[in-house]
């Protein structure tokens, strides 16, 4: 099990910088391959087609990894429904604006995120609860991961 879509691999969407949890995280993710595949095919592939390579910061996070990074207990990362990413060849603000105003993508949430300064990644998720085609289309911005404001483009 290596490819989830033409440009995204299972390893890429389950990789963690917490190397001691890598094997367990990949093992836990095996149950969520359908969601990970939908995430890649319906959301990440269109972003890549528009902006070029996509660098995944965080995809699937099992319970141990999610707790270690202080993720929320209801995080869609736990179900393979979300990814945090950047596009090395594009400004995050441009990617965010495209997703929200031009792309036609049906997402659950898209969040322009950063910690203690300018945005450093975008969180993008499938509609919740996970069903291909469902969406809530919530667009937000945060600079501290605690307070969120509506995205105004």
């Amino acid at each position: 099990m290596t490819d989830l879509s033409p440009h995204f691999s299972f390893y890429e969407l389950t990789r963690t910088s917490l190397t001691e949890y890598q094997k367990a995280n990949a093992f836990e993710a095996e149950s969520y391959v359908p969601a990970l595949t939908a995430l890649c095919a319906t959301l990440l592939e269109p972003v890549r087609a528009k902006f070029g390579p996509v660098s995944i910061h965080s995809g699937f996070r099992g319970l141990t990894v999610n707790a270690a990074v202080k993720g929320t207990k209801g995080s869609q990362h736990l179900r393979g429904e979300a990814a945090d990413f950047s596009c090395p060849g594009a400004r995050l603000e441009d990617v965010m604006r495209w997703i929200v105003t031009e792309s036609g993508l049906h997402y659950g949430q898209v969040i322009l995120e950063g910690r203690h300064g300018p945005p450093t990644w975008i969180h993008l998720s499938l509609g919740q609860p996970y069903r291909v085609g469902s969406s809530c289309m919530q667009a937000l911005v945060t600079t501290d991961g605690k307070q969120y404001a509506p995205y105004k483009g």
Side-chain angles (χ1 to χ4, degrees), residues 39-86:
L39 175 68
C40 292
T42 63
L43 297 177
L44 296 175
E45 284 290 349
V47 171
R48 187 187 188 286
K50 175 71 175 175
F51 295 99
V54 171
S55 177
I56 304 295
H57 299 255
S58 179
F60 176 82
R61 293 193 306 243
L63 291 171
T64 305
V65 172
N66 197 59
V69 301
K70 296 180 175 57
T72 63
K73 290 180 181 177
S75 173
Q76 287 187 268
H77 289 279
L78 288 163
R79 298 184 306 273
E81 299 173 9
D84 298 340
F85 70 93
S86 60

Side-chain angles (χ1 to χ4, degrees), residues 41-135:
T42 63
L43 297 177
L44 296 175
E45 284 290 349
V47 171
R48 187 187 188 286
K50 175 71 175 175
F51 295 99
V54 171
S55 177
I56 304 295
H57 299 255
S58 179
F60 176 82
R61 293 193 306 243
L63 291 171
T64 305
V65 172
N66 197 59
V69 301
K70 296 180 175 57
T72 63
K73 290 180 181 177
S75 173
Q76 287 187 268
H77 289 279
L78 288 163
R79 298 184 306 273
E81 299 173 9
D84 298 340
F85 70 93
S86 60
C87 297
R91 289 178 355 106
L92 286 175
E93 293 81 357
D94 295 338
V95 177
M96 180 75 170
R97 184 171 33 264
W98 178 79
I99 291 170
V100 173
T101 64
E102 299 173 33
S103 71
L105 295 177
H106 296 282
Y107 53 84
Q109 282 186 326
V110 59
I111 308 172
L112 188 58
E113 295 197 67
R115 299 287 189 267
H116 314 294
T120 53
W121 73 88
I122 292 173
H123 168 93
L124 185 59
S125 71
L126 293 167
Q128 186 177 354
Y130 167 62
R131 288 188 307 269
V132 176
S134 72
S135 63

Side-chain angles (χ1 to χ4, degrees), residues 2-13 36-37 39-41 43-49 52-56 83 85-86:
T2 57
D3 293 330
L4 297 169
S5 70
H7 298 102
F8 296 96
S9 70
F10 179 79
Y11 174 75
E12 187 176 12
L13 271 289
L36 287 165
T37 300
L39 175 68
C40 292
L43 297 177
L44 296 175
E45 284 290 349
V47 171
R48 187 187 188 286
V54 171
S55 177
I56 304 295
F85 70 93
S86 60

Side-chain angles (χ1 to χ4, degrees), residues 11 14-29 60-70:
Y11 174 75
T14 61
R15 178 181 57 223
T16 175
S17 60
L18 303 171
T19 55
E20 66 271 28
Y21 301 128
Q22 184 60 56
K23 279 187 178 180
N25 201 57
F27 178 76
E28 288 180 58
F60 176 82
R61 293 193 306 243
L63 291 171
T64 305
V65 172
N66 197 59
V69 301
K70 296 180 175 57

